[in-house]
Amino acid sequence: MPILKSYGACLRESSFQCPRSHRIDNYKRRNVKWRSPQAAIIPDFHLPMRSFEVKNRTSAEDIKALRLITAIKTPYLPDGRFDLEAYDDLVNKQIENGAEGVIVGGTTGEGQLMSWDEHIMLIGHTVNCFGGSVKVIGNTGSNSTREAIHATEQGFAVGMHAALHINPYYGKTSLEGLVSHFNSVLTMGPTIIYNVPSRTGQDIPPRVVNTVAQSPNLAGIKECVGNDRIEQYTGNGIVVWSGNDDQCHDARWSHGATGVVSVTSNLVPGLMHELMFNGKNASLNAKLLPLIQWLFEEPNPIGLNTALAQLGVVRPVFRLPYVPLPLEKRVKFVELVNGVGRENFVGEKDVQVLDDDDFILVGRY
């Protein structure tokens, strides 16, 4: 109480000191030039997840050398949770057949259907189990720069070797905004920028890429626009991976691409390895094209999910809104497997046509 009383007395005393003239105050207000407030921007300030420990870090140069990167599928249990046993088996098959990197939680891996907790857990699990045998590239991109920064901090904190970043989709930004978005995450570690206008609704033009390419952390571009665009970049010394399986052979051997980020390699990793490592092979490319075209008749990963279920390597569980391909296309897949050769596909079981009732569709997980 004495403290409160003395404080009140102080206030009362101060009210009688130095009365100010309202006339002077009004004069000052009229004659002071107004200045707009300055935004408080702190560049490259990432806390608390940022680490400068480099002992176990991968350099962008290590990522640039990868030729076969698989956009790995995420399998599910009947209740919609991750089936880590099936996932580990899929990753092991990639490693055994020569894949040098995996994209975790990308479009193919259905990162868009994961919570961030699930996303970072799966990246950390992959690093923990396989990080010594394959480069783990976490899809930590977002249309929110804040989320992209936070997820990328967490991804590198759990040990991923590189990040995959898409341009902001739906709520699109300007070209200057694209540069700022990418620069906000490039400071954290090796980064692959992913350009797929068919999904984002916005192309990342070469002048944006050429600007952010000044960062030593830019490993390269996953490019889905086509081989002419790829050649633009490779002619300027920028590393590019084809994002289109049906174009990757020509991209690799005729347009300067380093390799491919592949969906098809989930099914036939050995053949995709041969396509990327052993020189031009038009006959093998032609042999794979019908399978690749089948995979993308519906939006990815619908075809891949259906195929892996019919091969018996994952449970036939779909997180909605994805649903299996219709029966006639499931029958067609069996024919394609027999044409390419069952021995070239992952898994040990005979391929089969699943009935509609065999599939489990999960809306809440």
Side-chain angles (χ1 to χ4, degrees):
M1 286 300 290
I3 295 175
L4 290 174
K5 286 180 179 178
S6 64
Y7 178 69
C10 187
L11 287 175
R12 287 194 298 273
E13 289 171 8
S14 65
S15 65
F16 295 103
Q17 294 177 1
C18 302
R20 301 183 66 182
S21 167
H22 293 296
R23 188 173 298 174
I24 293 173
D25 288 345
N26 290 336
Y27 173 79
K28 287 182 177 179
R29 281 196 290 268
R30 285 196 303 269
N31 288 276
V32 172
K33 184 178 180 180
W34 182 83
R35 294 179 181 177
S36 63
Q38 300 297 305
I41 300 175
I42 306 176
D44 303 337
F45 188 73
H46 303 294
L47 290 175
M49 304 300 296
R50 187 169 183 177
S51 170
F52 290 100
E53 175 58 57
V54 296
K55 181 175 65 175
N56 295 318
R57 286 292 185 95
T58 297
S59 71
E61 296 303 315
D62 293 330
I63 302 300
K64 289 178 181 180
L66 306 179
R67 287 156 289 185
L68 177 58
I69 303 171
T70 297
I72 196 72
K73 150 76 177 167
T74 306
Y76 304 115
L77 296 168
D79 61 3
R81 291 177 300 138
F82 294 160
D83 184 347
L84 292 179
E85 184 178 346
Y87 177 82
D88 292 350
D89 188 48
L90 282 175
V91 176
N92 268 317
K93 285 179 169 58
Q94 296 302 313
I95 294 169
E96 291 168 3
N97 285 279
E100 299 170 304
V102 290
I103 303 286
V104 179
T107 306
T108 303
E110 299 178 23
Q112 62 275 13
L113 304 186
M114 297 178 189
S115 69
W116 279 115
D117 284 345
E118 287 180 313
H119 212 131
I120 300 303
M121 181 277 282
L122 192 60
I123 292 172
H125 171 81
T126 310
V127 171
N128 186 49
C129 295
F130 307 105
S133 302
V134 70
K135 296 301 181 188
V136 179
I137 302 160
N139 172 31
T140 54
S142 173
N143 59 350
S144 161
T145 305
R146 176 185 63 84
E147 285 192 8
I149 289 172
H150 186 60
T152 304
E153 288 171 337
Q154 291 186 319
F156 280 119
V158 300
M160 71 181 184
H161 301 112
L164 180 73
H165 279 283
I166 202 162
N167 51 310
Y169 47 88
Y170 187 69
K172 297 182 288 186
T173 186
S174 63
L175 298 188
E176 291 75 14
L178 290 179
V179 172
S180 295
H181 177 81
F182 290 131
N183 281 338
S184 295
V185 293
L186 274 164
T187 56
M188 284 182 267
T191 300
I192 297 173
I193 289 176
Y194 179 20
N195 187 33
V196 55
S198 63
R199 288 188 181 271
T200 64
Q202 182 181 34
D203 181 31
I204 305 173
R207 71 184 181 99
V208 169
V209 172
N210 291 334
T211 300
V212 299
Q214 298 171 30
S215 169
N217 281 334
L218 182 69
I221 313 298
K222 177 187 174 184
E223 183 58 75
C224 296
V225 165
N227 288 340
D228 289 342
R229 175 71 63 84
I230 286 174
E231 195 161 345
Q232 275 186 266
Y233 291 137
T234 58
N236 291 326
I238 297 174
V239 170
V240 186
W241 293 271
S242 174
N244 300 326
D245 282 345
D246 60 340
Q247 299 177 353
C248 71
H249 172 269
D250 292 348
R252 171 83 171 102
W253 302 112
S254 301
H255 298 277
T258 294
V260 63
V261 177
S262 178
V263 175
T264 308
S265 55
N266 280 276
L267 299 174
V268 286
L271 295 183
M272 292 303 296
H273 180 274
E274 186 177 344
L275 206 63
M276 290 294 102
F277 280 75
N278 295 351
K280 285 187 177 183
N281 192 334
S283 61
L284 176 58
N285 189 51
K287 183 178 181 179
L288 289 173
L289 278 177
L291 172 65
I292 294 169
Q293 291 164 355
W294 178 90
L295 273 175
F296 293 96
E297 286 180 0
E298 295 290 348
N300 181 51
I302 293 171
L304 177 65
N305 293 352
T306 304
L308 288 170
Q310 294 203 157
L311 289 167
V313 295
V314 304
R315 290 178 170 88
V317 180
F318 281 66
R319 280 187 175 184
L320 290 169
Y322 299 122
V323 296
L325 290 175
L327 180 60
E328 62 270 20
K329 292 185 178 180
R330 302 200 296 265
V331 171
K332 178 64 176 177
F333 176 69
V334 173
E335 297 171 0
L336 289 168
V337 170
N338 292 331
V340 175
R342 177 64 183 90
E343 68 279 4
N344 294 307
F345 286 78
V346 295
E348 307 298 330
K349 299 178 181 178
D350 291 337
V351 62
Q352 58 180 320
V353 178
L354 295 178
D355 294 327
D356 290 344
D357 292 341
D358 293 326
F359 292 96
I360 300 172
L361 309 182
V362 184
R364 302 184 69 176
Y365 39 84

Short mmCIF file of all heavy atoms in Angstrom, two decimals, residues 73-76 83 86-87 90 304-317 354:
data_model
loop_
_atom_site.label_atom_id
_atom_site.label_comp_id
_atom_site.label_asym_id
_atom_site.label_seq_id
_atom_site.Cartn_x
_atom_site.Cartn_y
_atom_site.Cartn_z
N LYS A 73 6.04 -42.17 -53.34
CA LYS A 73 4.65 -42.35 -52.92
C LYS A 73 4.57 -42.51 -51.40
O LYS A 73 5.45 -43.10 -50.79
CB LYS A 73 4.07 -43.57 -53.62
CG LYS A 73 2.99 -44.35 -52.89
CD LYS A 73 1.66 -43.66 -52.91
CE LYS A 73 0.59 -44.53 -52.22
NZ LYS A 73 -0.64 -43.79 -51.95
N THR A 74 3.51 -41.98 -50.79
CA THR A 74 3.24 -42.19 -49.36
C THR A 74 2.10 -43.19 -49.21
O THR A 74 0.97 -42.89 -49.59
CB THR A 74 2.84 -40.87 -48.67
OG1 THR A 74 3.84 -39.88 -48.91
CG2 THR A 74 2.70 -41.08 -47.17
N PRO A 75 2.37 -44.40 -48.69
CA PRO A 75 1.30 -45.39 -48.50
C PRO A 75 0.58 -45.19 -47.17
O PRO A 75 1.12 -44.60 -46.24
CB PRO A 75 2.05 -46.73 -48.51
CG PRO A 75 3.50 -46.41 -48.44
CD PRO A 75 3.69 -44.94 -48.38
N TYR A 76 -0.64 -45.74 -47.09
CA TYR A 76 -1.49 -45.54 -45.91
C TYR A 76 -2.00 -46.84 -45.34
O TYR A 76 -2.17 -47.83 -46.04
CB TYR A 76 -2.69 -44.65 -46.27
CG TYR A 76 -2.31 -43.33 -46.87
CD1 TYR A 76 -2.66 -43.03 -48.19
CD2 TYR A 76 -1.61 -42.39 -46.13
CE1 TYR A 76 -2.31 -41.81 -48.75
CE2 TYR A 76 -1.26 -41.17 -46.68
CZ TYR A 76 -1.61 -40.88 -47.98
OH TYR A 76 -1.25 -39.69 -48.54
N ASP A 83 1.61 -45.75 -43.57
CA ASP A 83 2.07 -47.13 -43.47
C ASP A 83 3.58 -47.10 -43.65
O ASP A 83 4.09 -47.20 -44.77
CB ASP A 83 1.39 -47.98 -44.55
CG ASP A 83 1.75 -49.45 -44.44
OD1 ASP A 83 2.70 -49.79 -43.70
OD2 ASP A 83 1.11 -50.27 -45.12
N ALA A 86 5.38 -50.17 -45.36
CA ALA A 86 5.30 -50.16 -46.83
C ALA A 86 6.15 -49.04 -47.41
O ALA A 86 6.80 -49.21 -48.46
CB ALA A 86 3.84 -50.03 -47.28
N TYR A 87 6.16 -47.90 -46.73
CA TYR A 87 6.97 -46.76 -47.20
C TYR A 87 8.45 -47.13 -47.22
O TYR A 87 9.15 -46.87 -48.21
CB TYR A 87 6.72 -45.57 -46.28
CG TYR A 87 7.55 -44.34 -46.61
CD1 TYR A 87 7.16 -43.46 -47.61
CD2 TYR A 87 8.72 -44.07 -45.90
CE1 TYR A 87 7.92 -42.33 -47.91
CE2 TYR A 87 9.49 -42.95 -46.19
CZ TYR A 87 9.08 -42.08 -47.20
OH TYR A 87 9.84 -40.97 -47.49
N LEU A 90 9.27 -49.31 -50.12
CA LEU A 90 9.32 -48.56 -51.38
C LEU A 90 10.64 -47.81 -51.52
O LEU A 90 11.27 -47.82 -52.59
CB LEU A 90 8.16 -47.56 -51.45
CG LEU A 90 6.78 -48.10 -51.81
CD1 LEU A 90 5.75 -46.98 -51.70
CD2 LEU A 90 6.76 -48.69 -53.21
N LEU A 304 -0.71 -43.64 -60.12
CA LEU A 304 0.35 -44.33 -59.36
C LEU A 304 -0.23 -45.07 -58.16
O LEU A 304 0.14 -46.22 -57.90
CB LEU A 304 1.39 -43.30 -58.89
CG LEU A 304 2.50 -43.88 -58.02
CD1 LEU A 304 3.35 -44.86 -58.81
CD2 LEU A 304 3.36 -42.77 -57.44
N ASN A 305 -1.14 -44.44 -57.44
CA ASN A 305 -1.74 -45.10 -56.28
C ASN A 305 -2.46 -46.38 -56.68
O ASN A 305 -2.37 -47.40 -56.00
CB ASN A 305 -2.73 -44.15 -55.59
CG ASN A 305 -2.04 -42.95 -54.95
OD1 ASN A 305 -0.82 -42.89 -54.88
ND2 ASN A 305 -2.83 -42.01 -54.50
N THR A 306 -3.18 -46.30 -57.80
CA THR A 306 -3.90 -47.48 -58.29
C THR A 306 -2.92 -48.57 -58.70
O THR A 306 -3.11 -49.76 -58.38
CB THR A 306 -4.78 -47.09 -59.50
OG1 THR A 306 -5.66 -46.02 -59.13
CG2 THR A 306 -5.60 -48.27 -59.98
N ALA A 307 -1.86 -48.18 -59.40
CA ALA A 307 -0.87 -49.15 -59.89
C ALA A 307 -0.17 -49.87 -58.74
O ALA A 307 -0.04 -51.11 -58.75
CB ALA A 307 0.15 -48.44 -60.78
N LEU A 308 0.29 -49.13 -57.75
CA LEU A 308 1.02 -49.75 -56.64
C LEU A 308 0.11 -50.68 -55.84
O LEU A 308 0.56 -51.72 -55.33
CB LEU A 308 1.62 -48.67 -55.74
CG LEU A 308 2.82 -47.93 -56.34
CD1 LEU A 308 3.19 -46.73 -55.46
CD2 LEU A 308 4.02 -48.85 -56.49
N ALA A 309 -1.16 -50.33 -55.73
CA ALA A 309 -2.10 -51.21 -55.04
C ALA A 309 -2.28 -52.51 -55.81
O ALA A 309 -2.33 -53.60 -55.22
CB ALA A 309 -3.44 -50.50 -54.84
N GLN A 310 -2.37 -52.42 -57.13
CA GLN A 310 -2.57 -53.64 -57.94
C GLN A 310 -1.31 -54.49 -58.01
O GLN A 310 -1.40 -55.69 -58.24
CB GLN A 310 -3.05 -53.26 -59.35
CG GLN A 310 -4.43 -52.61 -59.33
CD GLN A 310 -5.18 -52.72 -60.65
OE1 GLN A 310 -6.39 -52.64 -60.68
NE2 GLN A 310 -4.48 -52.92 -61.76
N LEU A 311 -0.17 -53.87 -57.77
CA LEU A 311 1.08 -54.64 -57.69
C LEU A 311 1.26 -55.29 -56.32
O LEU A 311 2.16 -56.10 -56.12
CB LEU A 311 2.28 -53.74 -57.99
CG LEU A 311 2.44 -53.29 -59.44
CD1 LEU A 311 3.46 -52.17 -59.53
CD2 LEU A 311 2.83 -54.46 -60.34
N GLY A 312 0.41 -54.91 -55.37
CA GLY A 312 0.45 -55.52 -54.04
C GLY A 312 1.54 -54.98 -53.13
O GLY A 312 1.85 -55.61 -52.11
N VAL A 313 2.10 -53.80 -53.44
CA VAL A 313 3.17 -53.26 -52.61
C VAL A 313 2.67 -52.21 -51.62
O VAL A 313 3.40 -51.82 -50.71
CB VAL A 313 4.33 -52.69 -53.47
CG1 VAL A 313 5.00 -53.79 -54.26
CG2 VAL A 313 3.83 -51.60 -54.40
N VAL A 314 1.44 -51.72 -51.83
CA VAL A 314 0.81 -50.84 -50.84
C VAL A 314 -0.63 -51.30 -50.66
O VAL A 314 -1.22 -51.95 -51.54
CB VAL A 314 0.83 -49.35 -51.27
CG1 VAL A 314 2.25 -48.87 -51.54
CG2 VAL A 314 -0.07 -49.09 -52.47
N ARG A 315 -1.22 -50.96 -49.54
CA ARG A 315 -2.64 -51.24 -49.33
C ARG A 315 -3.48 -50.36 -50.25
O ARG A 315 -3.10 -49.22 -50.54
CB ARG A 315 -3.02 -51.00 -47.88
CG ARG A 315 -2.45 -52.02 -46.91
CD ARG A 315 -2.84 -51.66 -45.47
NE ARG A 315 -2.51 -52.73 -44.54
CZ ARG A 315 -1.34 -52.86 -43.92
NH1 ARG A 315 -0.36 -52.00 -44.16
NH2 ARG A 315 -1.14 -53.86 -43.07
N PRO A 316 -4.63 -50.83 -50.69
CA PRO A 316 -5.48 -50.03 -51.60
C PRO A 316 -6.27 -48.97 -50.85
O PRO A 316 -7.50 -48.95 -50.86
CB PRO A 316 -6.39 -51.08 -52.23
CG PRO A 316 -6.50 -52.14 -51.19
CD PRO A 316 -5.18 -52.19 -50.49
N VAL A 317 -5.53 -48.08 -50.18
CA VAL A 317 -6.14 -47.03 -49.35
C VAL A 317 -5.86 -45.68 -49.99
O VAL A 317 -4.71 -45.35 -50.30
CB VAL A 317 -5.58 -47.06 -47.91
CG1 VAL A 317 -6.22 -45.96 -47.07
CG2 VAL A 317 -5.80 -48.42 -47.27
N LEU A 354 -7.94 -55.12 -59.22
CA LEU A 354 -8.72 -54.98 -57.99
C LEU A 354 -10.15 -54.56 -58.31
O LEU A 354 -10.40 -53.82 -59.26
CB LEU A 354 -8.07 -53.94 -57.07
CG LEU A 354 -6.68 -54.29 -56.52
CD1 LEU A 354 -6.16 -53.14 -55.66
CD2 LEU A 354 -6.71 -55.59 -55.72
#
